[in-house]
Amino acid sequence: MRILGIETSCDETGIAIYDEEQGIMSHRLYSQIAVHADYGGVVPELASRDHVRKTIPLIKEVLAEANLTPQDLDGVAYTAGPGLVGALLVGCSIGRSLAYGWDLPAVPVHHMEGHLLAPMLEDDVPEFPFVALLVSGGHTMLVRVDGIGHYELLGESVDDAAGEAFDKTAKLLGLDYPGGPVLAKMAENGTQGRFKFPRPMTDRPGLDFSFSGLKTFAANTIAKEDSSEQTYADIAYAFQEAVVDTLAIKCRRALEQCGLKRLVIAGGVSANTSLREKLEAVTGKLGGNVYYPRPEFCTDNGAMIAYAGMQRLKAGVSADLTFKATPRWPLDTLPAI
């Protein structure tokens, strides 16, 4: 089975072809960073327009690179939610229309299920069951995964997602958009111990997160300190360590609560080197393992949508001629397969 995947949930246009036997045959990713940089964040209308401009050309590119025609495909998968409604509608309408024109089944895919299954694109594939940490600019959640669609939400952020807190704190430091990766790079030159940031919601039971207060703590620290390059690096270091420690504490708590030793991390923030090192240490102490996708598949991409779409298509899932975008779509409402 071979399927085309289309990802347009936010500000990146991702297209890929996944083959059940060969794996990823071709993939392309177009980032809109340059489009939104002047605004310091994603402008939904501009994002939608850029998806309209880039999706079809990228589809043609991946088909050409894989030396395939539409007749060689078995389905078309597209992100149906969650995300920005306008951006989602571009992918939904193009994906559903192509499927109709090519006489193929169309498969709506949950964006976060795509992230959750992205480590399955690697050679070292985690076995079920496991605990997944999905951590990005829009989501931070812990999920127990007993199989595809067998999801139990263990905890989530009650306010800002971790990636959002990274980006907002980076903006306070005067860093360019998207600020999260730039802040992480700045933190490499930071001094350990100069600033001590809180680890929010770790002094109470439960697996929910909160990063809004941490962002406020960073803002107050920036306001009362000098604006030297070293001071900003020290603040970046302290902020990153606080986020990473908080995520690690909650992950260990989730693994112990579920009696599991396998941890999956996915989403844009999972590319953070400090986070990976900390979680490898956590699972190592428990005698377990941590799994994550390669950096290019941590951010939004078409390969994860193609893979998730294939699993759903094999289970008989497909859309009729109607389609809809679902900007808010709880992961644990998905049917099990």
Side-chain angles (χ1 to χ4, degrees), residues 128-249:
F128 300 114
F130 55 77
V131 170
L133 171 66
L134 303 180
V135 56
S136 66
H139 301 84
T140 301
M141 62 179 73
L142 281 164
V143 184
R144 178 186 171 119
V145 181
D146 289 292
I148 297 177
H150 295 266
Y151 307 135
E152 178 189 354
L153 181 63
L154 302 173
E156 61 185 336
S157 180
V158 299
D159 41 54
D160 289 356
E164 182 181 3
F166 260 100
D167 287 340
K168 288 181 177 178
T169 301
K171 192 171 184 178
L172 292 170
L173 289 168
L175 304 179
D176 292 335
Y177 170 85
V182 185
L183 186 150
K185 184 69 176 176
M186 176 183 280
E188 293 177 4
N189 298 317
T191 304
Q192 182 178 7
R194 179 178 175 186
F195 298 106
K196 178 68 174 178
F197 279 44
R199 276 55 173 165
M201 295 184 72
T202 58
D203 58 349
R204 66 188 76 174
L207 296 171
D208 285 335
F209 302 91
S210 172
F211 295 105
S212 179
L214 192 60
K215 176 196 65 184
T216 302
F217 191 93
N220 292 336
T221 303
I222 293 168
K224 67 183 181 182
E225 296 292 335
D226 66 83
S227 58
S228 68
E229 184 176 337
Q230 186 59 54
T231 293
Y232 275 17
D234 295 344
I235 292 173
Y237 180 92
F239 172 82
Q240 178 175 259
E241 284 298 289
V243 173
V244 167
D245 281 351
T246 299
L247 293 171
I249 290 168

Side-chain angles (χ1 to χ4, degrees), residues 270-330:
S270 69
N272 183 283
T273 302
S274 179
L275 177 61
R276 291 190 176 199
E277 292 174 351
K278 180 73 71 170
L279 292 181
E280 285 174 356
V282 166
T283 53
K285 290 178 181 178
L286 295 175
N289 295 291
V290 60
Y291 303 84
Y292 37 75
R294 71 194 82 165
E296 64 187 310
F297 294 142
C298 289
T299 57
D300 296 348
N301 64 87
M304 69 182 193
I305 301 304
Y307 181 84
M310 175 170 288
Q311 305 310 311
R312 290 286 168 182
L313 182 58
K314 287 167 63 177
V317 176
S318 63
D320 58 23
L321 282 176
T322 62
F323 66 86
K324 69 174 183 176
T326 309
R328 296 184 182 276
W329 188 1

